[in-house]
Amino acid sequence: MHSLDDRHEAGGDRSRLFVYNGGFVTQKRLRRILYLAGYDIRLGLPGPDDLVGIWGNSPTAHRGRRVAENRQVGLLRVEDAFLRSIHPGRAGEPPVGLQLDRSGVHFDPARKSDLEVMLATAPLDDSALMRRARDAVSRLTEVQLSKYNAFDPAAPTPKPGYVLVVDQARGDASVLASGADRARFLEMLVFAQEENPGARIVIKSHPETSQGYRPGHYGPEDANNRITLLTDPVSPWELLDGAIGVYTVSSQMGFEAILAGHKPRIFGQPFYAGWGLTQDEFPLTRRQRQLTRQQLCAATMFLYPVWYDPFRDQLCELETVLDNLETQVHAWRQDRLGWAASGMRLWKRRPLQKMFGSEKNLLFTDDVKKAKASGRNWMVWASKAGAEHQGATRVEDGFLRSRGLGAELVPPLSLVTDQQGIYYDPTQPSDLEDLITQRVRLTEAQDRRAENLLRSLVQSSLSKYNLGGEAPKLPAGYRILVPGQVEDDASIRTGAGKIHTNLDLLRTTRAANPDAIIIYKPHPDVEAGLRSGEIAAEGLADVVAHSSDPIALCDQVDELWTMTSLMGFEALLRGVKVTTLGTPFYSGWGLTQDLSKQPERRQARPSLLGLVHATLIDYPRYYDPVTGLPCPVEVAVRRLQSGDIPHPGMANRALSKLQGVLVTYAHLWR
């Protein structure tokens, strides 16, 4: 298997790449990937040790081919990788990876490409690589990722039992390379009907056709009582799941059909034909090797492309691309209709706009009728939600939030959205509860990802606010940490039960543990004078840990007692026994000792890693302040570790200081 350092070594460590297509110069992402892969773009005429770069079989490629032939230098053929973006490239969105081929173009059977040689000769028997390929296929199907991703996985698809015929854009290079035209596509449609008597036929239009960029080979005139022309943006994986057969000329969807378990009927000569996984109308006799789906995936998705990570600005492996693309696709699916936002204080609006407004600017309004009539999705800050907000998505800070307090107006790196309720309110179901239930079973890849995340959090001592501070020297003995909370916090109002004050929490803990060393940690918002909940703890606690690092405290204690504090979750991550007196989101799953009644719906018994995956990977949305893009949790962790986070503006800092003076008017900013 190639490493990131030795892939595509053309002409030594670095190669000069002469280009004659303006896209190589104007597209920043394209230039950057090529540079990281070892190619320096140049204009002019190449020397003997140089290369000429062309874009596949594009209409401009002949310029570069002519120069390369005349100058007797090699060609580097560049194409998009098999995962690209949300929208087609014609929409202006940059790619997440490239195919760099010294021999040919993967879709053109006229000459062998590097990919074909790899499929024909590479060992493809490494067990670790095969495991990664299986994980990748599972991930693609679960998250529903394709080359282009501007579709809603929940969009309805035809009733299962149909034959799927895949259209392609007219004039597409892969179609022309297979010698196909409308006549070939019509022939394929006839075969689909004759070979599947009585079956319904569904023609799937190409995304570029549906979005009006290029016409396809089929139109309304080809539909009838038996044949349906499907132009809606639906999930290709859902379509494949309902199909009893798949017909294509050379579409990438034929490759996805193989990964989905089909043996598609092929009327062209694409890269995936001829390896025993397709039914080929025009077989290539030089392709004789029999491959498994995993082997095809390994060569095509792992060994052949170069992948790019915009958050680290470096080449990466496919797994990182899947993390990144999943995050961005998820954000697009949530945001594509725009948002009306209610119950949002003025200082929160700018961060919300950054996180949710990439497709359409948010409409901030507390007028319920206006929000409902806007045609947008509707969100409300969870603590401001009332009966009039029925149907609105609840929004709250995430669990890895910032370096600094929300009450001090530090903008968040993460927010959670919940269509059913909100994680801190056990009186009603929440999306987080469903996610925890689903994560009772993790794939090997999910297990590894959650484990790596947990290790990173523990090693870096990261928490929700990451305030720092020192941990006091603690007396010897059995140590119990009691974190104070904001007593008028929504999590206390909805989930605390009979014990709902810091004083009662301390009294209960002391009564149950008379001989223990009890450490009381006041809540930072309370210590800052911004929220209620201050108590005189000295008579009940052996140590009052003012302005202490909560994670440093967790590392020194044997147990933690809490009402609903997030510190209970952070303690669980660090192997500390946790006792709850209320109903926080992490209680009731068999991971904590719970002294109050838990919701009956919490019957699942996930592992700690399952809880981590649901709570920190699946549930929140993360925003990268450096790139301005939705990002996976690993990027947020990296920013928190490095401190590479823009500071709040002067207005936020001034308003934060004013809060301390006007603390009795806290309702104005909370």
Side-chain angles (χ1 to χ4, degrees):
M1 178 177 160
H2 298 282
S3 72
L4 291 177
D5 295 326
D6 63 15
R7 280 189 256 187
H8 307 287
E9 289 186 2
D13 293 335
R14 300 204 63 80
S15 296
R16 297 200 305 173
L17 188 67
F18 286 78
V19 297
Y20 308 94
N21 179 323
F24 284 102
V25 179
T26 60
Q27 296 181 36
K28 182 179 178 182
R29 176 70 61 81
L30 176 59
R31 296 199 316 271
R32 186 59 180 162
I33 298 175
L34 285 168
Y35 177 82
L36 292 171
Y39 301 98
D40 298 323
I41 290 180
R42 295 286 189 270
L43 302 177
L45 293 175
D49 298 325
D50 300 324
L51 294 170
V52 170
I54 60 174
W55 189 265
N57 285 354
S58 69
T60 61
H62 66 92
R63 305 171 188 165
R65 286 196 296 266
R66 188 181 305 116
V67 172
E69 183 178 352
N70 291 338
R71 305 288 292 188
Q72 296 185 335
V73 298
L75 278 171
L76 180 73
R77 297 161 180 87
V78 184
E79 270 283 347
D80 289 326
F82 299 110
L83 288 174
R84 191 194 184 284
S85 50
I86 297 173
H87 301 283
R90 294 174 187 273
E93 195 169 345
V96 298
L98 296 174
Q99 297 160 2
L100 308 178
D101 202 305
R102 294 285 308 275
S103 305
V105 185
H106 74 275
F107 56 73
D108 189 349
R111 60 188 302 164
K112 294 181 181 180
S113 65
D114 290 346
L115 177 57
E116 182 176 339
V117 173
M118 193 178 292
L119 289 168
T121 63
L124 299 177
D125 56 2
D126 180 80
S127 59
L129 180 59
M130 293 302 102
R131 183 203 71 205
R132 294 174 67 199
R134 287 192 297 271
D135 290 342
V137 173
S138 175
R139 183 85 176 276
L140 289 168
T141 53
E142 180 191 15
V143 184
Q144 311 235 343
L145 295 179
S146 186
K147 184 173 184 178
Y148 309 122
N149 295 278
F151 56 81
D152 181 1
T157 54
K159 183 179 178 182
Y162 50 83
V163 173
L164 181 63
V165 176
V166 184
D167 197 8
Q168 294 176 250
R170 198 180 303 171
D172 184 80
S174 74
V175 173
L176 298 176
S178 286
D181 54 13
R182 173 164 163 81
R184 177 79 63 83
F185 278 81
L186 291 176
E187 179 187 21
M188 179 171 66
L189 184 59
V190 171
F191 271 82
Q193 296 173 80
E194 292 180 346
E195 293 174 351
N196 301 275
R200 292 174 290 121
I201 309 296
V202 173
I203 299 174
K204 175 63 178 74
S205 294
H206 191 275
E208 288 191 351
T209 303
S210 300
Q211 296 182 34
Y213 293 112
R214 290 193 288 176
H217 294 87
Y218 299 114
E221 68 277 9
D222 300 304
N224 55 38
N225 292 335
R226 186 183 177 189
I227 301 172
T228 300
L229 181 64
L230 181 62
T231 60
D232 296 338
V234 300
S235 167
W237 299 103
E238 290 292 329
L239 270 182
L240 292 168
D241 189 53
I244 60 173
V246 179
Y247 288 68
T248 183
V249 171
S250 59
S251 170
Q252 182 176 315
M253 208 165 168
F255 171 60
E256 292 169 340
I258 294 171
L259 300 185
H262 289 279
K263 191 171 185 176
R265 188 85 154 83
I266 308 300
F267 285 75
Q269 294 177 321
F271 71 90
Y272 50 83
W275 311 109
L277 299 168
T278 54
Q279 304 174 66
D280 302 324
E281 186 68 14
F282 304 99
L284 276 169
T285 57
R286 67 175 186 259
R287 299 180 185 175
Q288 296 293 323
R289 189 180 188 186
Q290 301 292 294
L291 297 175
T292 66
R293 294 183 179 90
Q294 288 75 27
Q295 289 173 321
L296 179 67
C297 176
T300 303
M301 301 296 286
F302 287 89
L303 303 183
Y304 184 52
V306 287
W307 298 108
Y308 175 70
D309 179 3
F311 302 108
R312 300 167 181 83
D313 187 31
Q314 63 187 31
L315 300 185
C316 64
E317 299 291 355
L318 175 64
E319 289 87 351
T320 299
V321 170
L322 292 173
D323 293 344
N324 295 345
L325 191 58
E326 177 185 355
T327 300
Q328 292 166 40
V329 168
H330 174 70
W332 178 86
R333 289 169 181 170
Q334 280 197 321
D335 301 343
R336 69 189 190 282
L337 299 178
W339 288 96
S342 302
M344 307 299 178
R345 296 299 181 190
L346 286 175
W347 82 269
K348 294 179 179 177
R349 295 186 179 186
R350 187 176 181 188
L352 285 164
Q353 177 61 50
K354 289 180 178 179
M355 190 167 291
F356 294 99
S358 60
E359 298 301 315
K360 293 182 180 179
N361 286 335
L362 270 67
L363 171 64
F364 293 100
T365 178
D366 291 330
D367 187 325
V368 171
K369 290 183 178 179
K370 185 176 180 180
K372 289 183 176 180
S374 68
R376 300 162 176 250
N377 293 323
W378 184 24
M379 67 169 62
V380 61
W381 196 260
S383 61
K384 304 297 181 182
E388 69 274 18
H389 298 105
Q390 186 70 30
T393 296
R394 270 62 171 175
V395 180
E396 204 20 287
D397 286 331
F399 309 110
L400 292 170
R401 187 192 183 282
S402 51
R403 282 192 173 274
L405 299 172
E408 293 181 341
L409 312 190
V410 176
L413 294 184
S414 69
L415 294 168
V416 301
T417 59
D418 202 304
Q419 293 181 309
Q420 298 184 73
I422 194 64
Y423 71 87
Y424 59 70
D425 184 358
T427 65
Q428 56 188 328
S430 69
D431 291 353
L432 180 55
E433 286 185 339
D434 288 351
L435 289 167
I436 293 172
T437 300
Q438 293 167 17
R439 293 308 184 194
V440 168
R441 287 180 291 276
L442 299 175
T443 66
E444 290 183 15
Q446 291 166 343
D447 192 87
R448 286 194 301 275
R449 188 182 182 191
E451 186 176 20
N452 290 336
L453 174 60
L454 177 58
R455 184 183 304 110
S456 183
L457 294 175
V458 172
Q459 290 177 349
S460 302
S461 298
L462 292 181
S463 61
K464 183 173 182 177
Y465 296 116
N466 302 288
L467 299 174
E470 300 293 329
K473 187 176 181 180
L474 302 179
Y478 189 84
R479 300 165 178 167
I480 298 177
L481 177 61
V482 180
Q485 295 186 241
V486 176
E487 292 183 350
D488 62 351
D489 189 74
S491 73
I492 295 293
R493 296 197 307 269
T494 60
K498 293 181 180 179
I499 306 299
H500 56 270
T501 68
N502 290 324
L503 189 59
D504 284 345
L505 171 63
L506 259 180
R507 287 170 174 165
T508 303
T509 306
R510 173 56 75 193
N513 303 276
D515 300 324
I517 304 298
I518 293 181
I519 301 99
Y520 179 70
K521 169 71 174 72
H523 192 279
D525 281 355
V526 175
E527 285 193 295
L530 300 173
R531 305 288 295 273
S532 64
E534 185 176 5
I535 63 170
E538 283 76 5
L540 292 166
D542 298 284
V543 178
V544 179
H546 293 288
S547 302
S548 297
D549 182 354
I551 303 307
L553 288 171
C554 283
D555 291 339
Q556 298 184 62
V557 301
D558 303 285
E559 192 173 350
L560 182 146
W561 281 52
T562 183
M563 294 180 285
T564 62
S565 173
L566 183 63
M567 277 192 67
F569 175 65
E570 292 168 339
L572 275 180
L573 302 187
R574 291 155 176 86
V576 177
K577 180 182 177 181
V578 174
T579 298
T580 70
L581 284 77
T583 315
F585 69 87
Y586 51 85
S587 68
W589 306 105
L591 299 171
T592 54
Q593 175 178 278
D594 305 314
L595 302 185
S596 61
K597 185 178 180 181
Q598 300 295 306
E600 289 292 329
R601 57 183 181 271
R602 298 186 183 180
Q603 295 296 315
R605 291 295 177 263
S607 66
L608 179 61
L609 293 180
L611 182 69
V612 168
H613 203 293
T615 305
L616 297 177
I617 297 175
D618 299 322
Y619 191 47
R621 280 184 55 166
Y622 296 93
Y623 172 79
D624 178 27
V626 177
T627 63
L629 296 172
C631 67
V633 61
E634 291 84 359
V635 174
V637 168
R638 183 183 177 92
R639 301 298 187 221
L640 291 170
Q641 287 171 333
S642 66
D644 189 13
I645 303 171
H647 296 292
M650 289 294 294
N652 267 28
R653 291 198 294 271
L655 186 56
S656 173
K657 292 180 179 180
L658 188 61
Q659 284 187 143
V661 180
L662 303 175
V663 67
T664 56
Y665 298 94
H667 63 281
L668 295 174
W669 61 79
R670 280 170 42 201

